[in-house]
Amino acid sequence: MSHPVIAIIGRPNVGKSRLFNRLTGKYQALVDDQPGVTRDRHYGLVEWRGATFMAIDTGGLIPGAEEPLNKKVWEQAFEAIKEADFLICLFNVQEGLNPVDEALVKELRKAGKPIFFAVNKVDRTAHETDVFEFNKVGAKPLFAVSAEHGRGISDLLEAIYEKLPKEEKPPEFPAEAMRLAIIGRPNVGKSTLINQMLGQERVVVHDEAGTTRDAIDILVEREGKQFVVVDTAGIKKKSATRTRLEKFSVIQSLRAIDDSQCVCLLLDATQGITHQDLQLAHTIWEQKKGLLLLVNKWDLMKANKEKYLEDLRPQLRELHEIPVMCISAKTGKQCEEIWNSINAICEAMQKRLSTPKLNQWLKKVAEGHPLPLYKGKTVKLYYAAQVGVSPPHIVLFSNFPQGVPETYRRYLIHQLQDELDIKGIPIHLTFRRRESIL
């Protein structure tokens, strides 16, 4: 089931990006005191009590604005409102109720979506009495929050959690089927590739970029294994997503990544790897999905394949070990072999280490490369246990989980990939205090 989507809406400088960062736990939206810093939409996953939803950060809105930039920001936010299942209408307690707030509330109610009203920047107790002013616009229930300090965020999340759908929709495909998304920029050959992989024309192919608008799910059986192959619309650069239909296609593709266990990312060999391709690759990797990089249109290349890949891998930076194939969706070259790579990735994503073997590994790597001190104290890793697969999920118990730096986490992941013999496969590490299981 796709994650519900919630859009954060408000006039400029109410703290939408800071709230977005607080909810997602990542500082991925630009935050500044200057109004109007956010102009495009940002997407991020939020987890609360085992539930997950997707948040959208939007630019500051001024209903009826005539300035070209403000009109574009409104258009972007309007698309976010259409995409969303729920809305957060955010106010700024330190500036009080503004006529723009009142106009915005009226506009949001027209959308017919459930709205959570939140008053931000309640940083001190003295601000609490000012919150009630916002009841004048019928903003109920009303949540007093401080996105900067985390105050009241749990109450807001709890209210959202109560509204999230609790029951999964009946699966349209067998539960054991592996979901495989085909992702890439427009006109890299996604639909042509799917037709080659299936051995029949199942999706429309056209020379015009952007023929595929919606995600299309196709059930496939290969050598006794079932796959749901998802053909998606091309993900364009933000500046290139001009029409409402194209903007909607982006979130469909992001949802396809989120719902899949394995993702094939297509590149155009004639263009090389672009910044947009790298962003897509890292989005897939951060969501802990198996990733196969397919360099398409190889039939148009005169280059030496080994040299091409040798030049390509350093551009992938920390993803330089992911599997890469050079193919031609048009001629079918190497397309049949894609299934072998997908099977290998799916098997690697299911790898397990027994607890005794995992702790032997942990002792060896910890002794060979001790952790740095944390606030002058020794950080210890006591033991580890694998709690899940797809991808392998390892929990490590420590006296100071917060004292394990990001560089050491990457070191442990690389060592685990060697131990499991699954280079190029994401691994999910979680650090907990030892006392948490006593």
Side-chain angles (χ1 to χ4, degrees), residues 195-410:
N195 290 334
Q196 283 285 2
M197 292 174 67
L198 303 185
Q200 54 183 306
E201 186 162 336
R202 292 289 299 274
V203 290
V204 176
V205 178
H206 196 276
D207 290 337
E208 179 186 355
T211 303
T212 303
R213 297 293 193 184
D214 299 310
I216 302 169
D217 294 2
I218 304 165
L219 183 63
V220 183
E221 186 165 331
R222 295 281 305 187
E223 299 179 358
K225 296 180 181 179
Q226 291 181 314
F227 299 87
V228 177
V229 181
V230 186
D231 181 28
T232 62
I235 301 180
K236 298 183 179 181
K237 294 180 181 179
K238 290 178 184 176
S239 60
T241 53
R242 299 189 183 280
T243 69
R244 293 178 180 176
L245 192 58
E246 287 168 348
K247 291 186 178 80
F248 184 73
S249 297
V250 172
I251 198 168
Q252 293 294 328
S253 296
L254 291 173
R255 279 177 159 172
I257 294 172
D258 183 38
D259 291 341
S260 298
Q261 285 93 5
C262 184
V263 180
C264 291
L265 173 60
L266 263 69
L267 313 182
D268 186 328
T270 64
Q271 297 179 16
I273 191 164
T274 67
H275 178 68
Q276 183 78 350
D277 294 326
L278 287 171
Q279 284 189 322
L280 282 172
H282 282 86
T283 296
I284 295 163
W285 189 261
E286 287 172 4
Q287 293 195 34
K288 302 293 187 293
K289 310 299 181 181
L291 174 58
L292 174 61
L293 193 63
L294 299 175
V295 183
N296 192 25
K297 305 187 182 180
W298 194 252
D299 54 303
L300 303 178
M301 298 294 290
K302 304 295 184 183
N304 177 274
K305 183 166 68 174
E306 286 68 26
K307 180 66 170 62
Y308 185 95
L309 294 178
E310 183 181 335
D311 294 338
L312 172 66
R313 288 195 179 277
Q315 298 178 64
L316 295 170
R317 298 191 290 274
E318 62 266 32
L319 305 184
H320 66 277
E321 291 184 324
I322 62 172
V324 182
M325 293 180 63
C326 296
I327 66 165
S328 171
K330 184 176 182 180
T331 66
K333 183 177 177 62
Q334 292 291 104
C335 290
E336 184 65 25
E337 286 75 6
I338 292 173
W339 288 110
N340 296 331
S341 295
I342 292 170
N343 275 320
I345 290 172
C346 293
E347 288 177 6
M349 294 280 282
Q350 300 294 321
K351 282 286 187 76
R352 285 187 179 272
L353 274 177
S354 67
T355 300
K357 189 173 182 180
L358 189 56
N359 284 285
Q360 289 173 10
W361 163 84
L362 180 61
K363 181 179 179 182
K364 179 179 67 176
V365 297
E367 290 177 350
H369 188 175
L371 275 155
L373 296 177
Y374 174 68
K375 296 183 178 180
K377 297 181 180 179
T378 301
V379 181
K380 298 178 180 179
L381 297 177
Y382 295 112
Y383 48 91
Q386 184 168 354
V387 297
V389 294
S390 195
H393 183 185
I394 312 296
V395 176
L396 298 100
F397 294 89
S398 169
N399 56 338
F400 292 111
Q402 68 276 28
V404 182
E406 185 60 34
T407 51
Y408 200 87
R409 292 169 185 250
R410 289 198 295 268

Side-chain angles (χ1 to χ4, degrees), residues 19-288:
L19 177 61
F20 174 83
N21 290 340
R22 175 66 66 176
L23 294 177
T24 60
K26 295 181 179 179
Y27 289 90
Q28 50 187 312
L30 181 62
V31 175
D32 195 284
D33 290 335
Q34 178 184 354
V37 171
T38 302
R39 293 171 182 173
D40 295 310
R41 306 199 301 279
H42 297 90
Y43 299 86
L45 290 178
V46 182
E47 296 182 356
W48 182 255
R49 288 182 55 185
T52 305
F53 62 90
M54 185 178 290
I56 311 178
D57 178 30
T58 64
L61 298 186
I62 303 177
E66 294 300 325
E67 294 180 18
L69 181 57
N70 286 330
K71 289 178 71 174
K72 288 181 180 179
V73 172
W74 174 253
E75 288 171 2
Q76 285 272 0
F78 180 77
E79 292 304 320
I81 293 168
K82 285 182 61 179
E83 293 169 0
D85 301 298
F86 305 96
L87 306 174
I88 295 177
C89 181
L90 198 62
F91 307 114
N92 181 348
V93 73
Q94 296 180 22
E95 295 182 358
L97 184 62
N98 186 292
V100 175
D101 292 324
E102 299 182 51
L104 192 56
V105 170
K106 291 180 181 178
E107 289 292 332
L108 293 184
R109 286 188 170 132
K110 292 178 184 177
K113 306 284 179 77
I115 305 174
F116 300 92
F117 295 96
V119 184
N120 192 28
K121 304 190 181 184
V122 186
D123 300 331
R124 299 192 300 271
T125 305
H127 294 143
E128 292 179 358
T129 55
D130 298 327
V131 170
F132 298 105
E133 177 186 7
F134 294 87
N135 284 326
K136 294 177 182 178
V137 293
K140 296 180 180 180
L142 195 59
F143 299 90
V145 303
S146 171
E148 183 172 1
H149 303 293
R151 186 178 186 181
I153 299 298
S154 60
D155 293 334
L156 176 60
L157 282 169
E158 192 63 25
I160 295 171
Y161 174 82
E162 291 299 325
K163 295 290 185 180
L164 296 178
K166 297 300 187 292
E167 295 183 4
E168 293 284 340
K169 294 179 182 177
E172 298 178 7
F173 299 103
E176 64 274 11
M178 182 71 70
R179 291 189 66 88
L180 172 67
I182 310 296
I183 301 292
R185 293 179 294 110
N187 211 29
V188 293
K190 297 182 296 297
S191 297
T192 303
L193 174 63
I194 288 181
N195 290 334
Q196 283 285 2
M197 292 174 67
L198 303 185
Q200 54 183 306
E201 186 162 336
R202 292 289 299 274
V203 290
V204 176
V205 178
H206 196 276
D207 290 337
E208 179 186 355
T211 303
T212 303
R213 297 293 193 184
D214 299 310
I216 302 169
D217 294 2
I218 304 165
L219 183 63
V220 183
E221 186 165 331
R222 295 281 305 187
E223 299 179 358
K225 296 180 181 179
Q226 291 181 314
F227 299 87
V228 177
V229 181
V230 186
D231 181 28
T232 62
I235 301 180
K236 298 183 179 181
K237 294 180 181 179
K238 290 178 184 176
S239 60
T241 53
R242 299 189 183 280
T243 69
R244 293 178 180 176
L245 192 58
E246 287 168 348
K247 291 186 178 80
F248 184 73
S249 297
V250 172
I251 198 168
Q252 293 294 328
S253 296
L254 291 173
R255 279 177 159 172
I257 294 172
D258 183 38
D259 291 341
S260 298
Q261 285 93 5
C262 184
V263 180
C264 291
L265 173 60
L266 263 69
L267 313 182
D268 186 328
T270 64
Q271 297 179 16
I273 191 164
T274 67
H275 178 68
Q276 183 78 350
D277 294 326
L278 287 171
Q279 284 189 322
L280 282 172
H282 282 86
T283 296
I284 295 163
W285 189 261
E286 287 172 4
Q287 293 195 34
K288 302 293 187 293

